[in-house]
Amino acid sequence: MLPWALRNTLLVSLIAAPLMVYVLYKALRAIERLGWFDFGRLRNKTSHSIWPFVIALFLIANVYPLCLQIHVFFGGLGDFDIVEAIRTGEPWVYRTLVYPYWAMILIIGQTVPLLLISDLIKVPLWRAHNRYRRPWMRIESGLVIGLLVIGTLYVSGRIYHDTQMVTVTTRDLVIEDLSGDFDGFKIVHISDLQADQLTDKDLMQQYVDTVNSTQPDLVCFTGDLVTRGTGYITRGAQMLGKIEAVHGVYACLGDHDVWADEGRITASLFRNDVLLLDDKHQTIHVGENRLLLTGATNTYSRRFSGHVLKNMEQQQARASISIFMAHQHAERMVQAVAEQGYDLFLGGHTHGGQVVVKLFGQSITPVMAETPYLAGFYTINNMLMSVNNGLGLTMAPIRFQAPAEV
């Protein structure tokens, strides 16, 4: 049975298949109409049908999902096990199959809406289209090629930037009558390190260096130290242990932490001076004042029960600032925390969408079906909420329009 990420990849391939056929057909027709190539002559036939070429290119473009399907039904191709190659990060598999496939999916996602508009506009303008058919076809064909070229360049460059770079986002938290001990106090929020074969040591070191460059007073990590298994727990914890913060580094559990081995993760973080708050509170003294930090576990396997919020009035009254952090941030949970009077909510999980297609200014990504809080900052009642993009990857081995974030 395929891992869930690869099962979702197959689902994406099924949804994208008709769109891919549409784009390939439009591209080949444009090439032919511009006189760049005669597909009928290549087949030594008078018929100018391009469908055999569309089908051939479609099969080539889908070698990756086809290999996954072969693994499902036949257990692989001889000695080649694509699932194992992906799990171990085999470079040639990613460079020749995985990365090109996901780039193609995104090129299609970015260009299909515009191509559809170019087709639909013929309906109200059908008279002009029929009268000036030949010049119309040439202009449309040039537009199709231009969109695909620009889309390919944009998607390729954006994937490289967003997957390899770490951005820093800042926001002021304004609290009335706050003690001067907190003037300029820096809280750095990070999330979803997801140490694995793709989020390697160099990328994690870049992330840690970015955190340290901000000279934080307090660092909060909102879960998912690893992607799967126990093989990368030590490396991930050691990386977080390199973070330098005046008042320490604190963490909560994420989905992948619970699935991997929460006991080993808790112990490994502790050995590296990272304190994990599993439905617990921590009072941090800042000068003569106090900061209350609550860490809650809210994952697919362990849902937030709300008991951690009970009888909090006295602790909050003694603290100048109260912060709540959890990996997942369900809407009801966020509302309950806001009603409890917390000043700041920190969440992760979404990766900012990780792969986000933007159409006419609107962001589209599957995670939006799970939570309205995709990425960035929100205000709920008087509480500021931060949803961090994190560093690591899930399902797709790339980021697009959702770069890693501190």
Side-chain angles (χ1 to χ4, degrees), residues 305-317:
S305 64
H307 72 272
V308 73
L309 293 178
K310 293 181 179 179
N311 304 317
M312 287 297 301
E313 289 78 6
Q314 289 187 356
Q315 291 193 60
Q316 286 181 286

Side-chain angles (χ1 to χ4, degrees), residues 58-76:
F58 175 80
L59 292 174
I60 293 171
N62 283 275
V63 168
Y64 173 42
L66 287 173
C67 286
L68 293 178
Q69 292 184 43
I70 290 172
H71 178 91
V72 171
F73 292 108
F74 304 104

Side-chain angles (χ1 to χ4, degrees), residues 328-358:
Q328 289 196 24
H329 40 273
E331 195 168 4
R332 286 185 180 180
M333 175 188 189
V334 173
Q335 189 62 42
V337 173
E339 291 174 357
Q340 186 66 39
Y342 278 83
D343 299 300
L344 178 64
F345 187 110
L346 306 176
H349 180 60
T350 65
H351 294 210
Q354 188 177 313
V355 174
V356 180
V357 175
K358 294 184 179 180

Side-chain angles (χ1 to χ4, degrees), residues 47-124:
S47 170
H48 281 59
S49 174
I50 61 173
W51 281 108
F53 301 96
V54 171
I55 293 170
L57 288 175
F58 175 80
L59 292 174
I60 293 171
N62 283 275
V63 168
Y64 173 42
L66 287 173
C67 286
L68 293 178
Q69 292 184 43
I70 290 172
H71 178 91
V72 171
F73 292 108
F74 304 104
L77 292 168
D79 295 332
F80 175 61
D81 185 341
I82 188 169
V83 174
E84 181 64 16
I86 291 171
R87 187 187 69 80
T88 57
E90 190 67 42
W92 75 267
V93 172
Y94 276 89
R95 290 169 186 165
T96 60
L97 296 179
V98 182
Y99 291 136
Y101 177 76
W102 281 105
M104 192 160 25
I105 291 294
L106 290 172
I107 292 167
I108 290 169
Q110 290 293 125
T111 56
V112 159
L114 298 176
L115 294 177
L116 285 172
I117 289 173
S118 73
D119 281 337
L120 293 174
I121 201 172
K122 297 175 189 175
V123 176

